[in-house]
Amino acid sequence: MKKLLLLFAACLMVIGCEKDVIGEGYPEMEGFYTESCGLPEVTIDSVKLFSTKVNDYTTEYPESKEHSLYPKIQANIKSASLRITITADTTWAGTTTIHF
């Protein structure tokens, strides 16, 4: 009985470790992360296309969401998606004060 419990415990440890290895086994995630770091410099349309590309990949490979870079990629997408653009008309004469 003791041997059976030890064998069962060993199997559980192997299964638990395998999930960690699987989560880091997607080299594409490193490329996505590198690309996501440059998102603030591209247009919002490019951010949306990148987000779709990552979403399509993680839909095809759901375990890739376990990769340690996945939350950072998502944070970079979110950060790049929240933008405010202010354009000033320089031909407008006079002073304008805007309070936020």
Side-chain angles (χ1 to χ4, degrees):
M1 182 68 156
K2 204 175 206 182
K3 288 181 182 179
L4 183 60
L5 287 174
L6 288 173
L7 180 62
F8 182 70
C11 289
L12 287 178
M13 288 173 54
V14 169
I15 291 169
C17 293
E18 185 176 292
K19 187 172 183 178
D20 292 341
V21 172
I22 288 172
E24 296 299 320
Y26 294 90
E28 294 83 359
M29 297 305 278
E30 292 177 24
F32 289 150
Y33 175 70
T34 301
E35 190 173 348
S36 74
C37 290
L39 290 177
E41 286 80 39
V42 300
T43 65
I44 196 68
D45 289 339
S46 294
V47 174
K48 289 178 183 177
L49 287 172
F50 176 76
S51 179
T52 300
K53 179 170 65 170
V54 171
N55 187 49
D56 290 348
Y57 181 81
T58 57
T59 299
E60 187 172 346
Y61 304 101
E63 294 164 340
S64 65
K65 289 183 178 182
E66 300 298 321
H67 196 283
S68 62
L69 291 175
Y70 181 73
K72 294 177 182 179
I73 295 166
Q74 291 302 307
N76 288 344
I77 291 170
K78 184 177 179 180
S79 176
S81 297
L82 302 174
R83 298 184 186 186
I84 297 175
T85 304
I86 299 174
T87 306
D89 184 358
T90 58
T91 61
W92 188 2
T95 304
T96 302
T97 304
I98 300 173
H99 299 278
F100 291 95

